[in-house]
Amino acid sequence: MKSIVLIGFMGTGKSVVGRRLAQDLRFNFVDTDILIEKKTGKRISEIFSEEGGEKRFRLLEEEAVRTVVKQGRSVVSTGGGVVLSQANRDILREYGTVVWLKASPELILERVKKKPGTRPLLLKEDPLLSIKSLLKEREFFYQQAAFSVDTSQLGVEEVVLQVKKGVLAVEASTNPA
Ligand code: S3P
């Protein structure tokens, strides 16, 4: 099996699922947000609130993506905005099977509310509206994944299973025996 890259909006389960999937497959696990926090010694929310804000974060994110793909076979969880960069999209597609984790805007809001202050892009008067408009902007890029799993009604173990099945199916169709 090749590396697996999880993309998708905030609160769709990329980090939790990625960690569990990596354990299951005995693959290395990497999370681009954690890599950025380790490298800078700062929380993502701090980076966003400093000078350069999101622009600087996006550069750090591109650097994290370039680092990740040098590490050999892994499960990679990415930040929700990783797909905004064409370079990231190309590098990640080349590196592994890209899987889009989805959830409804309402559920995303429920999930991100549980970790207040960790999603600077949603610190808005109407976060549900922000989620919907960001989703609209990004949907086209998320759709470029090899396949998607809707995590709205599923537990972590079920999502892990669906991802594994999907990846095996994609690999079988691209490398017929
Ligand atoms: C972002 C998602 C976050 C984090 C940053 C920006 C985004 O990661 O990278 O706050 O642009 O959607 P998660 O998707 O892991 O929450």
Side-chain angles (χ1 to χ4, degrees):
M1 202 183 259
K2 287 204 299 185
S3 292
I4 301 174
V5 180
L6 302 179
I7 63 164
F9 207 76
M10 299 170 240
T12 53
K14 294 167 300 201
S15 301
V16 177
V17 169
R19 201 176 285 279
R20 181 73 198 85
L21 183 65
Q23 239 176 25
D24 193 287
L25 296 170
R26 298 197 167 80
F27 283 14
N28 187 28
F29 172 69
V30 207
D31 184 313
T32 55
D33 282 345
I34 294 177
L35 216 60
I36 294 168
E37 290 188 335
K38 275 195 187 145
K39 170 141 201 285
T40 59
K42 291 178 182 156
R43 311 308 307 241
I44 303 290
S45 53
E46 269 179 274
I47 302 172
F48 267 78
S49 66
E50 284 171 0
E51 213 185 306
E54 180 171 359
K55 204 164 170 205
R56 171 144 182 274
F57 174 78
R58 296 298 171 206
L59 291 175
L60 290 164
E61 193 170 46
E62 286 194 335
E63 197 183 320
V65 167
R66 289 194 299 269
T67 305
V68 156
V69 300
K70 286 188 198 138
Q71 295 191 2
R73 193 167 68 172
S74 311
V75 173
V76 181
S77 293
T78 58
V82 82
V83 295
L84 295 171
S85 148
Q86 163 104 49
N88 288 347
R89 296 196 298 273
D90 292 346
I91 294 171
L92 292 171
R93 190 183 309 117
E94 175 74 19
Y95 173 68
T97 305
V98 179
V99 183
W100 173 22
L101 299 189
K102 314 187 201 187
S104 70
E106 290 73 18
L107 198 67
I108 287 172
L109 181 61
E110 283 307 304
R111 288 180 180 167
V112 300
K113 265 189 190 163
K114 289 184 189 151
K115 288 189 178 171
T118 60
R119 290 352 197 273
L121 286 177
L122 301 179
L123 292 174
K124 303 276 157 66
E125 212 170 293
D126 187 344
L128 187 61
L129 196 69
S130 307
I131 291 171
K132 286 180 180 167
S133 84
L134 284 171
L135 268 173
K136 211 165 168 191
E137 271 173 46
R138 295 174 177 181
E139 204 134 56
F140 175 77
F141 300 119
Y142 291 144
Q143 276 167 357
Q144 295 171 12
F147 66 96
S148 66
V149 177
D150 190 332
T151 69
S152 303
Q153 309 290 332
L154 303 176
V156 175
E157 297 302 322
E158 284 166 308
V159 179
V160 167
L161 200 67
Q162 301 259 338
V163 173
K164 278 198 295 187
K165 272 193 195 163
V167 169
L168 286 173
V170 169
E171 291 196 4
S173 68
T174 47
N175 300 307

